[in-house]
């Protein structure tokens, strides 16, 4: 439900803040005062294309903001959560339009695209009047309203599920078809997997192979280096570290009798001797392990070359060959028995198509019954709204498609003839804006309680009518206000009197500039405004009494 609307530098409105409540709110004012600016503001806030002409003359930009309570808009709240734009149970839409034609929008303080604003706006506000974007002119919306009117939810869910299942199976079959000749692919996969499986490709084995190759490639240098080290540590010829250490120990041992503190040094030298002996033994063991084996080196180089060739062939690093092998193995297993799988999927697709045909047929029968009921109800209401003899029918046309669709097997078109003797035409082609608005009102009243949009706006629904018909229009709008929030722009007192709340738009000229002001009317002010609407320039006691009677009759209902 719309709770607040703020306009700043919008057309001829310099600043206006309006609060809205449940029920029916009417907006009245003299011709040219700017009554429909509130409707225009909601249009811009719910996704209409920006127009620099809406910026008040002399201002840099126009700013609009609307706040909604989402307690009666679960679909809008779900959309906000899905798009991560939610902020509790409230929603704020804001839009700025610059004089140079630029525009920006926000949802709950976060930047939003025009598409997002339009998608959310369609779940919050529905505008009926002389505007091309009305939701009821969209054939998809018409079908949705018919399904809501007929309470086809369970049948529609079954049709959607059958279409979803058919589409999933069809995609699997398409994937198999894109694979081409399965036999050739299987043979190629088997060869590749066999070739890769012949190699040990785990990371530890690859690292061990690289280390072994390094050892064999450098075996001669390693042998020579070990021999030199052994000669320095424990060589029999010349001075070695062990021999020098032993000589040093013997010399210091002779001196230790005169200096007891040398005993600690001797202990360290003895430990060093042990370490040198162990180091020499380790080098000797390594030296014995080294083997100059050209055949072994060649075998290692051949295996490394083979692995690098495989890596280049499959266009992956050496360490990713194992993953490539597993990937090909998985594809091989997936294609194994592809012929049988394709046959099975074909049977499953046929079963899903049969299920869809059966559920879609039941849905089509239910829609046909609901279409007749909705057409009869709307046609009756059109007579009450000053279009006696008018015809309203809901035409169902089969869809020209061979694929199961989520919406069923038919599409919907609302057909209208506002005058007797004229053939029904599509609702979206009805020329008269006033007739279109009243027909929309009749549809909404007939489908009362089934339309999920919480706020409905009717702009000049009383064009071309008066007297008793105008009062009936007002009564229908008031009844609709009992189920939904209704905002109605009107110039007829019979309609205005039916509102639960009343705003008046007035125009004034100050400093050679025109300004429109919007004010909420008290009960006394409402009488004066209704009297103005009834009596024109001269307002007499009788006119005021008539205005009070209109209000009393409306409040008595």
């Amino acid at each position: 439900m719309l709770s607040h609307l703020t306009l700043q530098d919008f057309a001829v409105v310099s600043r206006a803040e309006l609060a809205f409540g449940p029920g029916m709110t009417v907006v009245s004012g003299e011709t040219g005062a700017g009554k429909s600016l509130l409707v225009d503001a909601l249009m811009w806030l719910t996704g209409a294309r920006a127009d620099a002409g809406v910026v008040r003359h002399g201002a840099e930009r126009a700013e609009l903001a609307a706040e909604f309570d989402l307690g009666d808009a679960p679909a809008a709240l779900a959309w906000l959560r899905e798009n991560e734009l939610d902020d509790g149970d409230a929603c704020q839409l804001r839009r700025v339009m610059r004089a140079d034609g630029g525009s920006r929008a926000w949802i709950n303080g976060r930047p939003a695209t025009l598409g997002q604003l339009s998608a959310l706006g369609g779940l919050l506000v529905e505008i009926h009047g002389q505007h091309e974007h009305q939701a009821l002119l969209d054939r998809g919306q018409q079908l949705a309203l018919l399904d809501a009117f007929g309470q086809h939810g369970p049948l529609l869910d079954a049709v959607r599920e059958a279409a979803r299942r058919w589409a999933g199976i069809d995609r699997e079959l398409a994937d198999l078809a894109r694979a081409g000749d399965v036999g050739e692919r299987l043979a190629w996969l088997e060869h590749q997997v066999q070739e890769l499986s012949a190699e040990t490709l785990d990371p530890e084995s690859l690292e061990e192979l690289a280390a072994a190759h390094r050892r064999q490639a450098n075996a001669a240098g390693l042998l020579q280096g070990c021999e030199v080290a052994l000669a320095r540590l424990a060589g029999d010829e010349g001075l070695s570290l062990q021999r020098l250490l032993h000589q040093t120990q013997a010399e210091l041992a002779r001196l230790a009798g005169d200096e007891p503190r040398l005993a600690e040094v001797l202990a360290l030298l003895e430990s060093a001797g042990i370490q040198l002996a162990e180091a020499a033994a380790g080098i000797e063991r390594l030296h014995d392990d080294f083997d100059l084996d050209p055949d072994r080196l060649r075998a290692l180089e051949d295996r490394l070359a083979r692995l690098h060739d495989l890596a280049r062939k499959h266009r992956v690093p050496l360490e990713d060959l194992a993953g490539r092998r597993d990937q090909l193995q998985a594809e091989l297993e997936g294609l194994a028995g592809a012929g049988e799988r394709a046959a099975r999927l074909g049977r499953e697709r046929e079963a899903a198509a049969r299920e869809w045909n059966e559920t879609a047929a039941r849905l089509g029968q239910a829609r046909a019954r609901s279409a007749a009921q909705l057409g009869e109800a709307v046609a009756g209401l059109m007579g009450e709204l000053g279009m006696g003899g008018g015809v309203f029918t809901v035409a169902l046309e089969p869809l020209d498609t061979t694929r199961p669709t989520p919406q069923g097997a038919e599409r919907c078109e609302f057909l209208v003839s506002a005058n007797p003797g004229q053939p029904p035409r599509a609702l979206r082609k009805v020329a008269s804006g006033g007739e279109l608005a009243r027909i929309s009102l009749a549809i909404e009243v007939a489908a009362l309680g089934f339309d999920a949009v919480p706020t409905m706006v009717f702009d000049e629904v009383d064009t071309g009518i008066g007297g008793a018909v105008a009062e009936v229009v007002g009564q229908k709008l008031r009844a609709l206000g009992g189920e939904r929030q209704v905002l109605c722009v009107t110039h007829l007192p019979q309609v205005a009197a039916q509102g639960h709340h009343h705003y008046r738009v007035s125009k004034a000229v100050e400093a050679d500039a025109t300004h429109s002001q919007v004010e909420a009317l008290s009960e006394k002010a409402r009488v004066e405004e209704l009297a103005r609407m009834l009596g024109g320039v001269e307002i007499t006691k009788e006119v005021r009494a008539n205005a009070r009677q209109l209000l009393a009759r409306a409040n008595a209902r």
Side-chain angles (χ1 to χ4, degrees), residues 293-375:
D293 186 349
D295 292 336
R296 168 69 172 158
L297 176 60
R298 188 162 47 253
L300 292 171
E301 288 178 341
D302 288 345
R303 186 180 173 205
L304 275 174
R306 202 163 52 248
L307 292 176
H308 283 292
D309 286 342
L310 286 172
R312 282 192 297 271
K313 177 180 178 180
H314 291 281
R315 298 180 181 180
V316 295
L318 192 65
E319 58 272 15
D320 290 347
L321 278 174
R324 177 62 174 162
R325 177 201 59 206
D326 296 342
Q327 178 186 2
L328 294 174
Q329 180 67 43
E331 185 181 354
L332 178 62
E333 293 172 358
L335 285 181
E340 294 82 357
R341 183 167 170 241
R344 176 179 56 80
L345 287 173
R347 292 191 296 272
E348 291 178 1
R349 185 172 63 175
E350 289 177 1
R354 285 194 300 272
E355 182 181 355
W356 182 86
N357 284 326
E358 292 171 1
T359 54
R362 291 198 298 271
L363 176 61
Q365 294 168 0
R367 282 173 170 169
R369 292 191 295 269
S370 299
Q373 295 168 1
L374 179 61

Side-chain angles (χ1 to χ4, degrees), residues 445-467:
V445 172
L448 190 61
F450 297 114
D451 197 326
V453 178
T455 300
M456 297 179 180
V457 181
F458 293 88
D459 186 14
E460 302 287 357
V461 296
D462 44 23
T463 300
I465 62 172

Side-chain angles (χ1 to χ4, degrees), residues 75-92:
L77 184 58
W79 185 94
L80 286 167
R81 288 172 176 164
E82 182 180 346
N83 289 271
E84 298 181 346
L85 292 169
D86 55 309
D87 187 14
D89 291 332
C91 173
Q92 183 186 67

Side-chain angles (χ1 to χ4, degrees), residues 210-514:
H213 178 262
R214 285 194 300 270
R215 284 195 301 271
Q216 279 296 322
N218 298 301
L222 289 169
L223 282 169
Q224 184 179 3
C226 288
E227 289 171 356
V228 171
L230 280 171
R232 290 174 179 171
L233 287 174
D236 295 331
E237 298 180 1
L239 292 177
S240 66
L241 290 177
Q242 283 184 330
R243 185 173 297 173
L244 287 171
L245 186 60
H246 291 155
Q247 290 176 0
T248 303
Q249 281 180 292
E251 292 172 356
L252 290 177
R254 288 194 298 271
L255 300 173
D258 299 326
E259 177 51 70
R261 288 178 293 179
L262 287 173
E264 184 178 349
V265 175
L266 287 170
L268 291 173
L269 290 175
E270 183 178 359
S271 177
I274 295 172
Q275 297 293 327
L276 284 174
E278 290 182 356
I283 293 174
E284 191 170 1
R285 286 193 300 273
L286 287 172
H287 178 272
D288 293 340
D289 286 341
F290 292 141
D291 185 12
L292 286 173
D293 186 349
D295 292 336
R296 168 69 172 158
L297 176 60
R298 188 162 47 253
L300 292 171
E301 288 178 341
D302 288 345
R303 186 180 173 205
L304 275 174
R306 202 163 52 248
L307 292 176
H308 283 292
D309 286 342
L310 286 172
R312 282 192 297 271
K313 177 180 178 180
H314 291 281
R315 298 180 181 180
V316 295
L318 192 65
E319 58 272 15
D320 290 347
L321 278 174
R324 177 62 174 162
R325 177 201 59 206
D326 296 342
Q327 178 186 2
L328 294 174
Q329 180 67 43
E331 185 181 354
L332 178 62
E333 293 172 358
L335 285 181
E340 294 82 357
R341 183 167 170 241
R344 176 179 56 80
L345 287 173
R347 292 191 296 272
E348 291 178 1
R349 185 172 63 175
E350 289 177 1
R354 285 194 300 272
E355 182 181 355
W356 182 86
N357 284 326
E358 292 171 1
T359 54
R362 291 198 298 271
L363 176 61
Q365 294 168 0
R367 282 173 170 169
R369 292 191 295 269
S370 299
Q373 295 168 1
L374 179 61
E376 184 179 348
V378 173
L381 287 165
M382 286 171 61
E384 295 184 51
L385 296 176
M387 289 177 283
V391 176
F392 180 90
T393 60
V394 181
L396 296 174
E397 304 171 5
L399 285 174
D400 184 16
T401 178
T402 58
R403 298 173 61 87
T405 58
Q407 69 268 28
E410 54 275 319
R411 59 182 178 178
C412 173
E413 180 82 79
F414 288 175
L415 303 179
V416 175
S417 172
N419 302 300
Q422 293 183 348
R425 299 170 58 209
L427 178 64
R428 51 195 165 86
K429 296 181 179 178
V430 172
S432 167
E435 288 179 348
L436 178 58
R438 276 180 280 154
I439 292 168
S440 298
L441 173 60
I443 294 170
E444 292 296 347
V445 172
L448 190 61
F450 297 114
D451 197 326
V453 178
T455 300
M456 297 179 180
V457 181
F458 293 88
D459 186 14
E460 302 287 357
V461 296
D462 44 23
T463 300
I465 62 172
V469 173
E471 189 164 356
V472 171
V473 169
Q475 291 169 359
K476 298 301 181 185
L477 286 168
R478 187 180 179 94
L480 189 59
E483 296 289 335
R484 296 286 185 272
Q485 184 186 41
V486 173
L487 174 61
C488 176
V489 177
T490 182
H491 66 277
L492 290 182
Q494 295 92 332
V495 174
Q498 297 292 331
H500 300 95
H501 318 282
H502 195 152
Y503 278 101
R504 178 176 61 201
V505 181
S506 58
K507 183 171 64 175
V509 178
E510 298 178 4
D512 297 327
T514 301

Side-chain angles (χ1 to χ4, degrees), residues 82-281:
E82 182 180 346
N83 289 271
E84 298 181 346
L85 292 169
D86 55 309
D87 187 14
D89 291 332
C91 173
Q92 183 186 67
L93 305 182
R94 179 170 172 252
R95 193 163 181 194
V96 173
M97 290 159 288
R98 299 192 304 272
D100 62 6
S103 171
R104 294 183 66 191
W106 293 264
I107 297 175
N108 285 332
R110 299 162 207 170
T113 65
L114 193 61
Q116 288 176 317
L117 204 63
S118 178
L120 176 60
L123 300 173
L124 292 170
V125 179
E126 189 172 282
I127 298 178
H128 302 269
Q130 303 176 43
H131 307 293
E132 294 180 357
H133 75 291
Q134 295 177 75
L136 276 178
L137 300 185
D138 178 70
R139 299 185 69 172
Q141 180 66 21
Q142 293 174 3
L143 185 62
L145 191 146
L146 175 65
D147 285 331
F149 176 80
Q151 298 181 333
H152 303 149
L155 275 174
L156 189 58
D157 288 342
V159 168
R160 286 172 177 161
E161 176 59 25
R164 184 197 63 77
R165 187 162 51 253
W166 185 94
I169 297 170
D170 189 62
R171 280 194 299 272
E172 288 190 59
L173 281 169
D175 290 340
L176 283 177
R178 279 194 296 270
D181 189 336
V182 175
E184 287 185 10
R185 183 67 177 173
L186 279 171
W188 183 85
L189 286 170
E190 287 172 353
H191 174 73
Q192 303 306 317
V193 171
Q194 184 179 11
E195 189 175 49
L196 289 169
S197 298
E199 303 292 341
T200 306
L201 300 175
D202 59 276
E204 295 79 9
S205 296
L206 292 178
E207 180 59 35
E208 183 180 343
L209 173 63
H213 178 262
R214 285 194 300 270
R215 284 195 301 271
Q216 279 296 322
N218 298 301
L222 289 169
L223 282 169
Q224 184 179 3
C226 288
E227 289 171 356
V228 171
L230 280 171
R232 290 174 179 171
L233 287 174
D236 295 331
E237 298 180 1
L239 292 177
S240 66
L241 290 177
Q242 283 184 330
R243 185 173 297 173
L244 287 171
L245 186 60
H246 291 155
Q247 290 176 0
T248 303
Q249 281 180 292
E251 292 172 356
L252 290 177
R254 288 194 298 271
L255 300 173
D258 299 326
E259 177 51 70
R261 288 178 293 179
L262 287 173
E264 184 178 349
V265 175
L266 287 170
L268 291 173
L269 290 175
E270 183 178 359
S271 177
I274 295 172
Q275 297 293 327
L276 284 174
E278 290 182 356

